[in-house]
């Protein structure tokens, strides 16, 4: 596990925080403190933004191939420290070790590698008639990230920002700052010039807000709750600055009548239970045709029961209370509990564990079918025909992800094209680190990953001849 630094990474060095407040990091499986990091203030943010501004002209003028080489070096440092990354995410988030290795460490390494290639290959200049269009960096980026995929959310912002020629100030989640410090060490080891990347740990309403409001920041990139995202969007709008928001989801897993039901249910349950349900793109609503509904309920309940405590805890006591509250609400509103429930799992004497939970007889307007729970809770909803399924799938304020299952891909694609959502997996399609990821409707603004993610950090200038 990474050992905590008592400082901020600003302008290429670890320097003491201006204030004396500390954040205690807790292991959610053992409920024990595992480290302390400084709680940054507006003054720390200001120092970091100044460093990022000073470093900007030189970094923006660095040839893309050189920036690409440094992102490649960062990728190699992350690879070298893969076991430490996984152990740190397990310690501060509670992720089971195999999942921490494969996903929490593996995916950001792949994404960082993809940006090492894209930074070199991206066309930063194009011809349009008698004009030459230059794609130039937006400037200083304020990145604010959540705890659910601690390293992935950081790399999703920092790697494309650096590829574009932007400089960055990162404010990571208070629950998972150790992974962020480890990332800052890797950036330093890679030889990225001082001031290009800066880290200020701290609380959202203090350090996060100061970063979002700082006039030296040109683009705020935020991932987290809709409530905070709305505020950050309003602040950015008032200042006429760019903003990217990755917010919540309530995605639908649509199983069409012709689908392989057993496979669709098994993959669907695994999708919701992994990371203890703390995935913004999770398919938390499973939509099944009325003729096959009872069979799907039985399969889903059995699959969830098999998970037991293997899914790991949720991140903190507040999140556990919130998830349990939603499970109680589901029961109150008349949904039928077929696996799990609001009580702590029997096997677990300590830790913020929630039982893998499945609800049947969920109707589209129930709270558990409308609001993001962010825990291991799946709702099975019945539909009568395809139009009914589409109405239900599109019937929330969100539109982040989804899945469609059918006997052949063409049938699933026809349905997916009618969904109001940013990303859909067809018949269990696999994760693609180059595919654009982001929301329709209130799930957000902008895209991450691949060339589309890089474009968020660029602005265009055209010269006419
Ligand atoms: P959150 O408060 O939105 O946290 C996201 C990030 O924003 C954290 O770094 C947070 O700092 C920071 N932040 C908080 N208040 C801020 C403010 N006023 N100005 C600027 N930055 C601020 O989310 P949360 O409280 O951790 O989780 C609450 C719910 O959000 C979850 O139950 C889930 O539904 C949703 N969520 C969604 C995602 C996603 O990927 N879409 C991720 C996480 C959570 P602190 O860490 O100090 O709060
Ligand atoms: Mg918070």
């Amino acid at each position: 596990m990474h050992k905590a630094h008592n400082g901020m990474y600003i302008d290429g060095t670890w320097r003491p925080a201006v204030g004396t407040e500390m954040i205690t990091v807790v292991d959610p499986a053992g409920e024990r403190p595992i480290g302390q990091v400084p709680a940054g203030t507006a003054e720390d943010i200001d120092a970091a933004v100044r460093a990022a501004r000073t470093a900007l002209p030189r970094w923006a003028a660095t040839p893309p191939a050189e920036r690409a080489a440094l992102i490649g070096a960062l990728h190699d440092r992350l690879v070298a420290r893969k076991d430490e990354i996984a152990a740190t995410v397990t310690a501060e988030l509670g992720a089971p070790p195999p999942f921490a290795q494969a996903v929490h460490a593996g995916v950001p390494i792949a994404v960082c590698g993809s940006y090492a290639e894209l930074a070199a290959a991206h066309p930063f200049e194009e011809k349009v008639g008698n004009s030459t269009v230059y794609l130039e960096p937006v400037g200083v980026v304020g990145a604010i990230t959540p705890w659910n995929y601690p390293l992935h959310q950081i790399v999703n912002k920092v790697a494309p920002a650096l590829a574009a020629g932007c400089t960055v100030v990162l404010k990571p989640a208070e629950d998972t700052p150790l992974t962020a410090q480890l990332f800052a060490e890797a950036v330093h080891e890679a030889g990225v010039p001082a001031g290009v990347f800066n880290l200020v740990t701290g609380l959202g309403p203090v350090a996060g807000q100061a970063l979002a409001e700082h006039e030296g920041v040109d683009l705020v990139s935020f991932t987290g709750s809709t409530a905070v995202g709305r505020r950050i969007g309003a602040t950015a709008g008032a200042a006429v600055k760019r903003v990217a928001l990755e917010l919540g989801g309530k995605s639908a897993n649509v199983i069409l009548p012709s689908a392989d039901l057993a496979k669709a249910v098994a993959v669907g349950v695994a999708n919701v239970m992994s990371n203890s349900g703390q995935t913004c793109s999770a398919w938390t609503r499973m939509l099944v045709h009325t003729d096959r509904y009872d069979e799907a309920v039985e399969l889903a309940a059995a699959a969830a029961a098999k998970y037991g405590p293997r899914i790991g805890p949720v991140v903190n006591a507040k999140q556990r209370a919130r998830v349990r509250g939603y499970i109680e609400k589901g029961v109150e509103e008349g949904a039928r509990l077929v696996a799990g429930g609001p009580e702590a799992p029997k096997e677990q004497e300590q830790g913020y564990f929630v039982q893998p939970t499945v609800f049947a007889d969920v109707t589209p307007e129930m709270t558990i079918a409308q609001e993001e729970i962010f825990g291991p809770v799946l709702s099975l909803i019945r539909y009568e025909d395809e139009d009914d399924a589409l109405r239900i799938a599109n019937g929330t304020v969100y539109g982040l992800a989804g899945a469609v299952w059918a006997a052949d891909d063409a049938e699933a694609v026809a349905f997916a094209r009618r969904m109001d959502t940013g990303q859909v997996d067809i018949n269990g399609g696999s994760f693609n680190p180059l595919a654009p990821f982001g929301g329709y409707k209130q799930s957000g603004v902008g895209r991450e990953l691949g060339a589309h993610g890089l474009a968020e950090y660029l602005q265009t200038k055209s010269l006419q001849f």
Side-chain angles (χ1 to χ4, degrees):
M1 192 192 86
H2 168 77
K3 197 173 163 298
H5 280 279
N6 183 16
M8 307 297 183
Y9 184 71
I10 295 174
D11 205 16
T13 57
W14 291 91
R15 59 159 86 162
V18 173
T20 55
E21 299 283 310
M22 300 294 284
I23 292 171
T24 300
V25 188
V26 174
D27 154 29
E31 299 183 41
R32 285 181 322 264
I34 53 171
Q36 282 202 318
V37 302
T41 59
E43 286 169 281
D44 298 301
I45 289 289
D46 188 55
V49 172
R50 281 167 195 278
R53 277 236 87 80
T54 305
L56 180 63
R58 217 163 147 186
W59 182 246
T62 300
E66 275 179 48
R67 297 200 299 255
L70 284 165
I71 298 167
L74 171 60
H75 165 266
D76 294 346
R77 291 314 304 151
L78 296 176
V79 170
R81 300 181 70 169
K82 189 174 182 194
D83 290 346
E84 195 188 354
I85 293 167
T88 305
V89 176
T90 294
E92 63 183 358
L93 180 67
F99 189 75
Q101 271 284 342
V103 176
H104 286 292
V107 172
I109 286 172
V111 171
C112 193
S114 78
Y115 278 113
E117 285 176 24
L118 275 168
H122 199 75
F124 290 98
E125 199 182 312
E126 62 191 40
K127 291 261 183 247
V128 181
N130 64 313
S131 303
T132 301
V133 178
Y134 294 93
L135 304 180
E136 300 184 340
V138 169
V140 173
V141 174
I144 302 175
T145 56
W147 42 264
N148 60 328
Y149 288 90
L151 185 60
H152 179 59
Q153 313 280 22
I154 291 171
V155 170
N156 276 0
K157 299 186 190 309
V158 177
L162 299 192
C166 293
T167 58
V168 180
V169 176
L170 168 68
K171 202 302 281 178
E174 66 188 84
D175 290 294
T176 54
L178 300 179
T179 305
Q181 289 191 339
L182 196 165
F183 176 77
E185 283 182 1
V187 169
H188 189 81
E189 291 162 2
V192 173
V196 170
F197 170 80
N198 307 274
L199 169 69
V200 176
T201 52
L203 303 180
V206 183
Q209 194 158 327
L211 182 57
E213 288 173 351
H214 201 293
E215 58 183 25
V217 170
D218 301 297
L219 183 160
V220 182
S221 180
F222 169 83
T223 300
S225 64
T226 304
V228 175
R230 210 184 286 281
R231 271 186 51 192
I232 288 177
T235 304
V240 197
K241 66 171 74 155
R242 299 257 297 252
V243 66
L245 305 171
E246 289 288 345
L247 309 178
K250 193 73 195 176
S251 297
N253 179 10
V254 182
I255 305 177
L256 293 174
S258 64
D260 176 343
L261 185 71
K263 186 175 174 200
V265 171
V267 174
V269 171
N271 172 282
V272 172
M273 300 308 162
S274 76
N275 213 39
S276 306
Q278 303 166 123
T279 305
C280 46
S281 57
W283 314 325
T284 50
R285 300 179 298 148
M286 186 182 284
L287 275 53
V288 186
H289 189 268
T290 188
D291 289 348
R292 309 186 76 188
Y293 188 78
D294 293 338
E295 196 189 335
V297 169
E298 243 175 72
L299 288 166
K306 270 198 299 198
Y307 276 89
R310 271 194 299 136
I311 60 168
V314 297
V315 70
N316 57 34
K318 190 177 153 202
Q319 197 65 20
R320 178 180 59 185
R322 182 188 143 95
V323 175
R324 285 183 178 171
Y326 272 112
I327 298 174
E328 282 160 3
K329 187 93 180 163
V331 174
E332 262 167 53
E333 292 186 359
R336 177 164 56 100
L337 208 44
V338 295
E343 312 82 21
K346 285 187 199 65
E347 313 82 9
Q348 235 55 52
E349 281 167 14
Q350 56 182 8
Y352 308 124
F353 286 88
V354 177
Q355 296 184 61
T357 296
V358 177
F359 277 110
D361 301 343
V362 178
T363 58
E365 68 283 355
M366 284 182 185
T367 306
I368 55 167
Q370 288 291 326
E371 295 183 13
E372 184 173 55
I373 298 173
F374 234 61
V377 184
L378 172 65
S379 292
L380 272 83
I381 305 176
R382 185 193 293 273
Y383 68 81
E384 301 296 329
D385 56 35
E386 255 190 51
D387 285 342
D388 191 30
L390 188 72
R391 237 181 343 262
I392 298 167
N394 289 341
T396 76
V397 297
Y398 294 115
L400 189 54
V404 184
W405 302 80
D408 61 83
D409 284 356
E411 188 191 349
V413 168
F415 190 94
R417 291 297 304 270
R418 299 165 74 197
M419 291 169 79
D420 301 330
T421 193
Q423 195 170 79
V424 184
D425 289 2
I426 301 297
N427 284 322
S430 52
F431 176 73
N432 175 2
L434 294 174
F437 178 85
Y440 277 34
K441 302 194 284 186
Q442 288 183 29
S443 285
V445 176
R447 291 293 178 271
E448 292 193 320
L449 298 177
H452 291 264
L454 177 52
E456 295 284 331
Y457 296 93
L458 295 167
Q459 57 190 347
T460 54
K461 176 183 288 172
S462 52
L463 269 51
Q464 286 61 247
F465 295 88

